[in-house]
Amino acid sequence: MRFDVVSIFPEYLAPLELSLIGKARTDGLLELAVHDLRAYTTDRHRTVDDTPYGGGAGMVMKPEPWAQALTEIAAATPAGPGGRRPTLIVPSPAGEVFTQKLAYELAEEEHLVFAAGRYEGIDERVLDWAAEQYTVRPISLGDYVLNGGEVAVLAMVEAIARLVPGVVGNPESLIEESHADGLLEYPVYTKPSTWRDRAVPEVLLSGNHGKIAKFRKEHQLRRTAARRPDLLERLDVANFSKTDRNVLWDLGYAVVDGRAVLRGDDRAEND
Ligand code: SAM
């Protein structure tokens, strides 16, 4: 899989040389290139921004350096045998929200190009124009505003790249983790079994795999209900076991039409 990142702060992306992503690059599982947007300017000051039409605060990124950079990247990496065009990810607080589901979807692509904006963002015409060569996707890291797209690129590249086969040593760890099955992960512990008067839950020392799995599922449900009830309410629980349904009931949820619905809600009461 190939990643290209365009930014006015290429050095911001240096952490992608470290840890699992760095190793995957060295091992040839991932190709990643970072491009300095200013290299595609033509004036003495290497200008990448200008004042916004219509007035208002801040500056807007000029379209031409982006067009030059994106044309060069697309030309250097022609579509593979499948003929799939590269995906251009434009980090933006006004984009669709990045999730694990989206990370899995993007990990299926051959070539992702990231356009890390700064200032008030990139001239909107670039997105329109780029759609001739790329599948363009404005994507948000969450409902808050960062100073620039680089942090969003770091987060997205890491979340996507670790799903590429071989990048994470033990693929099992991708199955048992938060958001893999729509729930948050259960709490985890390591040695010593008692630390500062706090003991690890007894069942985890029992060696009884059935009981451990039951404990973990219960705690996934408890944690998700406490911290992210929105996830629980979106989950398909139609095939939940009796034990899991009992946990849901304890947590205040009834199962209605395959969904967990808070008791007290009309839908649960009318069931
Ligand atoms: N004026 C823009 C708006 O209100 O939508 C915000 C611009 S922000 C200061 C500058 C750049 O940071 C954006 O162009 C984008 O690349 C990046 N950025 C900021 N918040 C982001 C978020 N939540 N997700 C992804 N990228 C973000």
Side-chain angles (χ1 to χ4, degrees):
M1 181 168 193
R2 181 176 172 90
F3 298 87
D4 284 276
V5 184
V6 185
S7 161
I8 57 167
F9 293 121
E11 58 277 25
Y12 218 123
L13 285 307
L16 295 175
E17 284 164 23
L18 305 174
S19 184
L20 290 181
I21 307 298
K23 183 168 181 307
R25 290 171 70 182
T26 313
D27 294 347
L29 291 171
L30 306 173
E31 275 181 84
L32 191 148
V34 181
H35 309 264
D36 183 353
L37 182 69
R38 290 193 198 278
Y40 299 92
T41 56
T42 46
D43 65 314
R44 198 157 55 91
H45 301 291
R46 311 212 312 157
T47 311
V48 292
D49 61 317
D50 210 331
T51 52
Y53 277 119
M59 301 293 271
V60 173
M61 296 195 99
K62 290 161 72 64
E64 192 52 26
W66 284 105
Q68 295 293 333
L70 296 174
T71 301
E72 187 177 296
I73 291 167
T77 47
R84 255 197 296 185
R85 41 169 61 194
T87 295
L88 176 65
I89 297 177
V90 186
S92 163
E96 71 179 298
V97 175
F98 189 65
T99 59
Q100 186 70 3
K101 184 165 173 276
L102 188 47
Y104 268 106
E105 194 185 311
L106 293 168
E108 295 292 317
E109 297 295 331
E110 288 165 14
H111 187 191
L112 300 179
V113 180
F114 292 83
R118 283 264 152 185
Y119 314 111
E120 294 307 321
I122 303 170
D123 186 310
E124 191 66 24
R125 292 169 293 181
V126 173
L127 279 69
D128 220 44
W129 164 87
E132 290 168 14
Q133 302 168 79
Y134 292 89
T135 300
V136 180
R137 298 189 73 160
I139 299 182
S140 170
L141 212 54
D143 294 340
Y144 44 82
V145 179
L146 301 163
N147 284 335
E150 291 78 9
V151 167
V153 173
L154 287 173
M156 287 191 258
V157 169
E158 182 152 316
I160 296 163
R162 69 192 289 281
L163 302 177
V164 172
V167 173
V168 168
N170 181 358
E172 285 282 299
S173 50
L174 299 179
I175 298 166
E176 294 225 349
E177 65 182 0
S178 295
H179 306 293
D181 58 0
L183 294 170
L184 304 182
E185 197 185 45
Y186 45 78
V188 294
Y189 304 88
T190 186
K191 297 175 190 72
S193 59
T194 300
W195 173 77
R196 300 199 179 201
D197 297 331
R198 287 159 174 84
V200 164
E202 192 79 31
V203 62
L204 299 180
L205 310 176
S206 71
N208 183 326
H209 297 300
K211 281 192 178 161
I212 292 172
K214 197 169 146 210
F215 168 89
R216 286 180 165 166
K217 183 65 180 287
E218 175 181 340
H219 283 269
Q220 276 194 281
L221 291 168
R222 288 193 179 284
R223 180 176 269 187
T224 309
R227 298 182 185 173
R228 293 291 306 276
D230 58 310
L231 294 180
L232 200 56
E233 285 158 22
R234 261 186 268 148
L235 199 66
D236 179 357
V237 296
N239 295 323
F240 262 30
S241 66
K242 185 143 196 331
T243 316
D244 294 340
R245 284 171 188 246
N246 286 342
V247 175
L248 284 179
W249 185 263
D250 274 358
L251 292 168
Y253 288 88
V255 176
V256 182
D257 297 333
R259 301 277 151 189
V261 176
L262 259 186
R263 286 186 282 140
D265 183 305
D266 286 349
R267 284 171 299 162
E269 297 310 309
N270 294 336
D271 188 43

